Amino acid sequence: MENYPFEEKAKAIQEHFECYGQSQVFRFWNDLDGYQRSHLIRQAESIDLPKISEHIRAFLFPEQHKNTSAPDKTFSSAPYLKLPETEADQSLWEEAYVQGEAALHAGKVAVLTIAGGQGTRLGFEGPKGTLGVTPVHRKSLFQVFAEKIRFAEKKYGHFIHWFIMTSQRNHEETIQFFKKNHSFGIQHIHFFQQGLMPAVDFHGKILLEAKDRISMQPDGSGGVFRAFVGGSFVNILQYLNVEIISLCHIDNPLVNVIDPYFIGFHIQQRSNLSFRTIPKQYPEECVGLFVLCEGRTTFVEYTDLLPEQALACDPLGRLKLHAANAGIYIFDREFVQKLGHYDGPLPCHAAKKKVPAIDDNGNPLASTSANGIKFEHCLPDTLALASHSLLLEGKREEIFSPIKNAHGTDSPVTCHHDQLRLFAHWLTKVGVEIPVDASGLPPFDIEISPLFADNERAFLEKWASLSQKPVIGAGTYIE
Ligand code: UTP
């Protein structure tokens, strides 16, 4: 329609929306000036209306749209590679570590961080990656990740390319934050924006956030592949001979952004995509699960589980479905390329959220609770397209403490405590006496910079090499 006169094009698009029962999008048309009209038309044009209508129908009539994660299927827990228990296991893990390090020495690994979420539950103004999280220095999540990458760059003698996915809603602020902080010393950093999908009300009507603006929302963590491949980043990786992409969520400062064990197992098992899994702690915990469904490992969001499935226990009293998603992944470059071009059906989750919207008079709706539906593709659903995948168990206390909520579980406070417990544990391992409570929490703040060590193994090595050990007390910072 590019060559059509604007009025004709606008009319055709409005008719198209009318056919799909979405004419309300243009209800303020007569109030708009030329500039506003062309803005609205450009946005409307970018929407894949047949696809969105399918998602809307699936939300309004769920019983007619069962997908693989529908709860009536019989699930058992998905098999995963367990943490080492025996000496034989230890040597397997050691082999993986060596293989992972070889890939890192050869410059085969890049890092991808997804940071396009809106942090609705946290309610923090600004990109979540800019949130100060470390106990002593209050370093931001972005800085923690950057220092982990710099640690690996120094150790393996290569610059590591860091790709960061933002969304339209936080892109500019993210860029400015990195500019202000000189990219935290990272040389090769690439930002790209994920796609958007319109939010709808509970009747399936596309919402406006201003008279001339549709309420467009980030398309979920699963939007990463299309955006990444669309930005030609796979070509850059191919040119650099990078084969492995270590991908994590921005909200978890404990994550090993670069983990030789995980990379090694991924290579050994010829996996297309690999996940770290941790044991689900209690039935109501809000974590997605890996399950075995009709002989295939599948991902199920916690919202799609029936209460009886979430509560079921094995004879030893452990949760039957317990392989939780830690949001830590490794993808093969070639598989990412395939995902980026994939246009077939993948589940789309409808999340009830607070979204910007206006009322029939064009005034902003002041809503304190969810007022609309946001459609999201979920990254682990791509499992359905993998021919080889791997689940690798991790220790929760070492790799997982996400910041999701303002208070209570998975909040800044729990994350602060989890970091302290981990640092205290490392220090105890090298013989430092630290008073801790029954949960391992010390009574004061300490911090170990990822520039010193970003995991226990590296910490033990580095500590042993220090000729003069620091005195540890309240406020100690080790770098
Ligand atoms: P969550 O699903 O926990 O979402 O994201 P969130 O935005 O952080 O928080 P809520 O749900 O709005 O409260 C898990 C990871 O996926 C990224 C987030 O930035 C986080 O790193 N994500 C999520 C995206 O990059 N884009 C999205 O559209 C959604």
Side-chain angles (χ1 to χ4, degrees):
M1 276 195 206
E2 254 147 50
N3 299 325
Y4 279 48
F6 177 74
E7 289 309 327
E8 262 179 56
K9 178 166 127 181
K11 192 162 168 267
I13 288 175
Q14 289 185 42
E15 280 169 8
H16 185 52
F17 270 64
E18 201 170 335
C19 285
Y20 282 89
Q22 299 290 358
S23 54
Q24 79 289 346
V25 164
F26 300 99
R27 67 190 187 277
F28 297 108
W29 189 252
N30 292 335
D31 299 349
L32 306 183
D33 62 26
Y35 175 78
Q36 291 171 315
R37 285 182 176 184
S38 71
H39 179 264
L40 183 58
I41 287 296
R42 230 179 306 125
Q43 256 194 328
E45 219 179 356
S46 73
I47 295 174
D48 185 342
L49 216 41
K51 211 167 233 169
I52 291 297
S53 303
E54 241 171 69
H55 301 328
I56 294 172
R57 269 197 302 277
F59 163 70
L60 293 175
F61 310 106
E63 62 293 340
Q64 294 168 19
H65 288 80
K66 296 254 156 81
N67 60 36
T68 47
S69 61
D72 60 342
K73 302 256 163 106
T74 313
F75 296 152
S76 54
S77 198
Y80 53 86
L81 215 150
K82 291 203 163 58
L83 285 164
E85 285 167 3
T86 63
E87 262 182 40
D89 295 344
Q90 283 290 1
S91 59
L92 265 183
W93 278 69
E94 201 48 43
E95 268 172 42
Y97 189 85
V98 171
Q99 203 155 356
E101 286 218 307
L104 285 157
H105 277 298
K108 299 268 177 211
V109 182
V111 172
L112 170 50
T113 306
I114 51 172
Q118 286 163 286
T120 330
R121 287 167 286 173
L122 182 63
F124 172 68
E125 283 297 320
K128 218 193 242 185
T130 64
L131 180 71
V133 292
T134 63
V136 176
H137 277 213
R138 313 297 302 158
K139 287 179 193 167
S140 64
L141 284 158
F142 281 134
Q143 182 171 356
V144 173
F145 276 52
E147 292 187 355
K148 289 181 188 227
I149 294 170
R150 281 173 58 198
F151 177 82
E153 286 182 334
K154 194 164 169 206
K155 184 160 185 197
Y156 301 110
H158 282 281
F159 284 127
I160 294 174
H161 284 250
W162 187 16
F163 299 86
I164 300 178
M165 181 173 83
T166 63
S167 74
Q168 199 185 52
R169 295 195 172 264
N170 66 17
H171 186 77
E172 219 21 69
E173 259 184 281
T174 303
I175 302 277
Q176 290 312 323
F177 186 71
F178 273 86
K179 265 201 186 137
K180 198 175 94 193
N181 291 290
H182 310 286
S183 299
F184 300 105
I186 298 287
Q187 301 292 319
H188 298 291
I189 192 157
H190 315 260
F191 298 93
F192 64 101
Q193 292 184 44
Q194 68 182 107
L196 299 168
M197 286 200 270
V200 302
D201 68 15
F202 297 136
H203 306 288
K205 297 290 178 190
I206 292 176
L207 287 165
L208 288 179
E209 69 170 278
K211 288 181 177 180
D212 63 339
R213 209 170 328 133
I214 297 169
S215 187
M216 299 295 283
Q217 303 296 317
D219 59 358
S221 58
V224 62
F225 304 107
R226 184 166 291 225
F228 189 75
V229 171
S232 299
F233 296 120
V234 173
N235 301 343
I236 296 179
L237 294 185
Q238 196 163 5
Y239 174 75
L240 295 167
N241 208 11
V242 168
E243 287 167 5
I244 289 165
I245 302 169
S246 176
L247 194 160
C248 346
H249 297 180
I250 190 58
D251 55 14
N252 172 19
L254 256 49
V255 65
N256 295 141
V257 176
I258 290 169
D259 179 356
Y261 289 110
F262 193 24
I263 294 167
F265 276 121
H266 173 86
I267 297 169
Q268 265 182 19
Q269 310 252 334
R270 298 179 192 286
S271 170
N272 304 134
L273 87 161
S274 305
F275 302 84
R276 288 317 288 269
T277 174
I278 48 165
K280 182 174 174 181
Q281 277 183 314
Y282 51 93
E284 303 77 22
E285 190 179 11
C286 300
V287 281
L289 290 172
F290 298 107
V291 301
L292 205 56
C293 174
E294 297 174 349
R296 211 186 145 87
T297 296
T298 307
F299 177 73
V300 189
E301 261 304 2
Y302 62 94
T303 41
D304 289 333
L305 270 193
L306 295 171
E308 55 270 33
Q309 288 174 315
L311 286 164
C313 286
D314 69 12
L316 293 173
R318 291 174 307 202
L319 287 178
K320 217 165 148 188
L321 303 180
H322 57 266
N325 178 28
I328 307 168
Y329 320 89
I330 291 185
F331 282 82
D332 251 18
R333 187 194 69 217
E334 280 180 16
F335 186 56
V336 166
Q337 173 109 31
K338 175 176 159 187
L339 292 174
H341 292 298
Y342 180 74
D343 201 28
L346 263 185
C348 187
H349 302 263
K352 290 190 179 173
K353 294 222 172 165
K354 232 174 18 175
V355 289
I358 52 169
D359 63 20
D360 280 339
N361 298 317
N363 299 316
L365 273 176
S367 176
T368 49
S369 53
N371 61 326
I373 305 295
K374 195 182 155 213
F375 295 109
E376 295 187 338
H377 292 294
C378 193
L379 192 151
D381 283 328
T382 52
L383 245 177
L385 302 175
S387 52
H388 295 85
S389 62
L390 161 74
L391 304 186
L392 182 68
E393 189 181 12
K395 282 191 192 154
R396 175 184 285 261
E397 62 277 18
E398 284 182 358
I399 63 168
F400 187 70
S401 186
I403 297 177
K404 302 282 185 195
N405 307 305
H407 308 286
T409 52
D410 298 337
S411 64
V413 171
T414 56
C415 182
H416 181 130
H417 289 173
D418 288 340
Q419 291 174 74
L420 289 180
R421 283 191 194 94
L422 188 67
F423 298 147
H425 172 71
W426 292 355
L427 287 162
T428 310
K429 276 238 155 170
V430 293
V432 175
E433 282 183 21
I434 297 195
V436 291
D437 70 9
S439 75
L441 184 66
F444 46 70
D445 284 342
I446 44 175
E447 182 173 331
I448 299 169
S449 164
L451 294 173
F452 182 82
D454 77 335
N455 62 69
E456 181 176 315
R457 184 174 178 143
F459 180 78
L460 300 186
E461 283 168 16
K462 197 80 177 273
W463 185 270
S465 73
L466 292 181
S467 51
Q468 202 167 0
K469 318 282 190 219
V471 179
I472 309 297
T476 299
Y477 172 72
I478 303 176
E479 181 174 302

